[in-house]
Amino acid sequence: MVGRKTVAVAAAAALATLGLAACGSSSSSGGDKGKNSGGSISLKMVAADYGTGPANTTQKYWDGIAADFHSANPTITVKVQAVNWNDFDNQVKTAVQNHQQPDITEGDYFADYAQQGLYYKTADVFSDPGNLLQIFKTLGSYKGDQYGLPFTTSSRTLFYNKKLFTDAGISSPPQTWDDLKADALKIKAKGKIGFGLPLGSEEAQAETLLWMLGNGGNYQDPSGNWTIDSSQNVATLQYMKDLVKSGATEPNPGTKNRTDLWKQFAQGDIGMINGSPALIPIIQSGKVLADSDWTSVPIPGKTGPLSSTLGVCDFVAAFKNGGSDKQAAIKKFLDFAYADKYQLQFDKEYDLLPATNSGVKALSSDPVFAPFMQALPKATLYPNVPAWSTVKTQLQQTIGTAMTTDPKSVLSRLQQTAKKSG
């Protein structure tokens, strides 16, 4: 998950809409279903919403591309539905279970759907796979074949409020966990939240991994073995628990989502928080912090800044919902949608990073994007196995409880789930 900004879309209503859209276009299988009378083809697409509200909802972005594409290809219509990030995974999974999956999704990549043979391979629906960032190729692949097309990317740094640092007598950003704790407590003494720790369901897997990396941990080892309950990770979560107990963070991190805390940072109420470029427009729209009031630096680890931060990529994937005509229409649309002008439009609208080599080249000298793009080549990625979808969901729901119970027990349950899931 690159940008998890919430838009008020009721889950039940959105789910109903998704189902209706599916019924109104093509079914989940069969020859050339989705092909209308007169030879026209209708594609349905479900995309995650990166916007902060109606003014910049991603629906507008995709509707604009769909309209431009239809003008150039009058026989192909693309119907797009933007879905709240918090609901995206469940809605796609429910649609697949009901055999009503869309033709195209943009958001999370589901390795289990590649395993089940539901996806087209990238080369079958995209003309220039070589232009996609190679660092994310494995993450969007299954058994050596690529199914997920990187669409937008991100890396993580520590954002901090320079004004709050000055008020608290802090002269430099933290390098280690202990530095961070000490600085956070100084900020707390000034009546603000020292460090924002989002362990709610929105993106707890990202925050947790950033802390694990700081102690040499990860969800898996280099050989692909699950290491969720390793001694390093247990020690990491115990440190986080102690950090919360000290009052250095907000109360009850397990109930706090990333977007909500980012908004609090933008209002000047939080001294430090881990973030991606997607935090920048929230700061700018808040109109409280000037550009000179904040900056970002490498994330502290146990003994020093992280040498490898989290790299995140959201993917486009195409379901096998019809025959050759449908496949050809999908390929035409994706070739069109991946043009540099649309990639750069998206990145600048939501302050994210490109997923194509040509897009990276175009933004390499941009001062806003440069620090994050420098971190991207050394990024650590999420596990690329079908079981990750199940593990991630459980982690999002339970990792926050480790701040008030036994961290080892919480991690051990996640480890058991990972092993059972494959």
Side-chain angles (χ1 to χ4, degrees):
M1 294 176 280
V2 170
R4 295 299 195 256
K5 303 176 188 174
T6 55
V7 177
V9 181
L15 183 56
T17 304
L18 180 57
L20 289 173
C23 294
S25 293
S26 62
S27 65
S28 61
S29 61
D32 285 326
K33 291 182 180 179
K35 186 173 181 180
N36 302 321
S37 59
S40 62
I41 295 175
S42 179
L43 302 177
K44 58 182 181 291
M45 177 178 184
V46 173
D49 199 325
Y50 297 75
T52 55
N56 71 339
T57 174
T58 309
Q59 185 75 46
K60 292 183 178 180
Y61 169 83
W62 284 112
D63 283 348
I65 294 179
D68 291 349
F69 177 74
H70 185 66
S71 295
N73 302 271
T75 62
I76 306 173
T77 300
V78 182
K79 299 176 182 179
V80 182
Q81 180 195 1
V83 176
N84 184 336
W85 253 122
N86 291 341
D87 303 325
F88 180 84
D89 285 10
N90 285 335
Q91 290 197 37
V92 172
K93 289 178 181 178
T94 300
V96 172
Q97 289 169 359
N98 293 333
H99 304 291
Q100 295 178 337
Q101 60 262 27
D103 299 296
I104 303 168
T105 60
E106 188 284 311
D108 278 340
Y109 163 72
F110 303 91
D112 46 338
Y113 298 154
Q115 181 185 42
Q116 296 168 35
L118 299 179
Y119 282 151
Y120 282 113
K121 294 178 183 179
T122 294
D124 293 334
V125 289
F126 191 62
S127 296
D128 191 13
N131 192 33
L132 302 172
L133 289 181
Q134 287 298 297
I135 185 175
F136 295 107
K137 180 176 181 179
T138 300
L139 192 60
S141 299
Y142 175 70
K143 288 190 173 180
D145 290 318
Q146 187 172 0
Y147 296 87
L149 290 73
F151 177 74
T152 190
T153 66
S154 184
S155 58
R156 303 300 166 93
T157 60
L158 177 76
F159 285 68
Y160 71 92
N161 184 317
K162 294 196 287 186
K163 290 179 67 176
L164 292 183
F165 267 44
T166 299
D167 291 345
I170 304 168
S171 60
S172 60
Q175 302 289 303
T176 67
W177 288 350
D178 286 346
D179 292 342
L180 184 147
K181 181 178 181 179
D183 292 345
L185 290 174
K186 290 177 182 178
I187 294 168
K188 180 197 176 188
K190 295 295 182 178
K192 301 291 186 178
I193 296 171
F195 179 80
L197 184 64
L199 296 178
S201 60
E202 182 181 3
E203 208 182 26
Q205 77 280 2
E207 187 70 22
T208 302
L209 180 55
L210 289 171
W211 282 85
M212 288 177 172
L213 291 173
N215 193 27
N218 204 326
Y219 295 123
Q220 292 183 311
D221 65 19
S223 299
N225 300 307
W226 291 103
T227 57
I228 298 173
D229 63 350
S230 67
S231 59
Q232 297 102 310
N233 290 344
V234 171
T236 295
L237 262 72
Q238 184 61 55
Y239 191 96
M240 294 166 66
K241 180 180 178 179
D242 293 341
L243 187 72
V244 173
K245 187 176 180 180
S246 75
T249 72
E250 79 283 0
N252 304 315
T255 66
K256 301 297 183 181
N257 282 327
R258 187 194 72 171
T259 301
D260 296 330
L261 292 184
W262 279 5
K263 290 178 180 178
Q264 285 185 258
F265 180 87
Q267 291 300 310
D269 295 328
I270 296 177
M272 297 172 282
I273 196 165
N274 293 325
S276 74
L279 174 51
I280 298 172
I282 297 178
I283 295 173
Q284 294 170 338
S285 64
K287 299 181 180 179
V288 172
L289 300 181
D291 289 344
S292 59
D293 292 335
W294 64 273
T295 190
S296 71
V297 295
I299 294 171
K302 184 177 180 180
T303 60
L306 299 188
S307 58
S308 176
T309 188
L310 170 64
V312 179
C313 178
D314 293 339
F315 289 90
V316 164
F319 282 97
K320 296 178 179 178
N321 282 343
S324 58
D325 285 352
K326 175 72 76 71
Q327 179 183 348
I330 292 172
K331 188 171 186 177
K332 274 191 176 182
F333 177 69
L334 294 184
D335 286 348
F336 187 90
Y338 268 81
D340 282 349
K341 71 172 184 177
Y342 294 123
Q343 275 271 296
L344 299 182
Q345 177 189 340
F346 187 91
D347 296 329
K348 291 180 178 180
E349 174 69 31
Y350 302 107
D351 284 280
L352 293 169
L353 308 181
T356 61
N357 293 316
S358 54
V360 167
K361 184 177 180 180
L363 285 181
S364 59
S365 61
D366 190 295
V368 174
F369 293 96
F372 299 94
M373 293 175 69
Q374 289 169 5
L376 206 56
K378 299 181 292 182
T380 296
L381 310 179
Y382 289 129
N384 178 37
V385 291
W388 173 240
S389 177
T390 300
V391 173
K392 181 186 71 173
T393 298
Q394 182 177 328
L395 187 150
Q396 290 171 326
Q397 295 169 348
T398 65
I399 201 70
T401 65
M403 301 299 100
T404 55
T405 59
D406 176 31
K408 181 172 178 57
S409 296
V410 175
L411 292 175
S412 293
R413 286 192 291 271
L414 286 164
Q415 176 80 3
Q416 291 170 8
T417 296
K419 287 186 173 181
K420 289 179 181 178
S421 301

